[in-house]
């Protein structure tokens, strides 16, 4: 059945290492988004993509990178330049202008 | 820029009605949507207002007033399972990106 798959659910890394979070969708949605959520906080937009081979920075893009080589996939790389990478990362898609947003189950990243 | 403000926490008892407000500042947007998030989980879509007025979906209703830059989510017949965080969100017409509010934690007690 259709959905959004984020993997892994939990991820642990040492400081200074780059790490890539996977997001795959089979909903045939054009737009894909990456959000970051810190404990007790709201969702902040990292990157978004409206179409294959195109993406834009969100509000907190520094220290992150993305690619959109296929419609189904929008991986997020958390680089060593990200000063405080420990957070809950959510991938989302939408078939049209922002409504409704379908979320994956998230990846909880811990960097020590 | 754009911003959406919500009360940080709301408490209510089972069976009651509660309203969660969302005030926003933006130059233009397509509509206001609402999401529910239980602890440790992903947000799920609840409701959307493209036009001013009230939208009803079961126990949940959402309202939008563009002239007042204000919206709200109304939850009726509260149940314990409604204890969660609720976020309003809007899509800015200029930037095509969805921005979320600060979130409201709803605590429902017996």
């Amino acid at each position: 059945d259709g959905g959004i798959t984020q993997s892994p659910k939990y991820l642990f890394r040492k400081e200074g290492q780059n790490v890539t979070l996977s997001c795959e969708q089979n909903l045939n949605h054009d737009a894909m988004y990456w959000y970051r959520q810190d404990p007790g906080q709201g969702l902040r937009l990292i990157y978004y993509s409206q179409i294959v081979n195109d993406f834009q920075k969100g509000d907190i893009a520094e220290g992150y990178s993305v690619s959109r080589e296929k419609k189904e996939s929008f991986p997020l790389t958390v680089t060593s330049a990200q000063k405080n990478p420990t957070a809950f990362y959510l991938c989302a898609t939408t078939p049209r202008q922002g409504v409704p947003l379908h979320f994956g189950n998230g990846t909880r990243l811990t960097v020590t | 820029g754009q911003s959406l403000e919500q009360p940080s926490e709301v408490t209510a008892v089972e069976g009651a009605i509660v309203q969660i407000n969302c005030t926003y500042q933006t130059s233009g947007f397509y509509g206001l949507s609402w999401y529910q998030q239980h602890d440790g989980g992903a947000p799920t879509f609840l409701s959307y207002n493209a036009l001013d007025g009230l939208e009803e979906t079961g126990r949940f209703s959402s309202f939008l007033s563009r002239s007042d830059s204000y919206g709200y989510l109304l939850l009726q017949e509260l149940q314990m399972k409604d204890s969660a965080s609720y976020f309003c969100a809007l899509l800015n017409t200029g930037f095509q990106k969805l921005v979320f509010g600060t979130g409201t934690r709803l605590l429902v007690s017996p």
Side-chain angles (χ1 to χ4, degrees), chain A residues 10 17 83:
Chain A
Y10 298 95
Q17 294 179 334
K83 298 303 179 191

Side-chain angles (χ1 to χ4, degrees), chain A residues 33 35 37 41-43 45 48 50 58-59 88 90 97-101 103-105 108, chain B residues 30 33 35 37 40-45 48 87 91 95-103:
Chain A
Y33 303 80
Y35 288 90
Q37 188 175 36
Q41 303 297 312
L43 285 76
L45 183 63
Y48 61 106
Q50 301 289 337
D59 299 315
F88 186 42
L90 288 156
Q97 289 166 344
V99 181
L101 210 57
F103 284 90
N105 287 328
R108 204 166 293 277
Chain B
Y30 290 115
S33 50
Y35 292 82
Q37 185 181 30
T44 56
F45 173 76
Y48 175 66
F87 296 91
L91 182 67
F95 301 101
Q96 294 281 312
K97 60 181 184 179
L98 196 66
V99 177
F100 282 80
T102 52

Side-chain angles (χ1 to χ4, degrees), chain B residues 34-51:
Chain B
W34 288 90
Y35 292 82
Q36 177 191 61
Q37 185 181 30
H38 287 98
D39 285 347
T44 56
F45 173 76
L46 290 177
S47 185
Y48 175 66
N49 293 75
L51 304 173

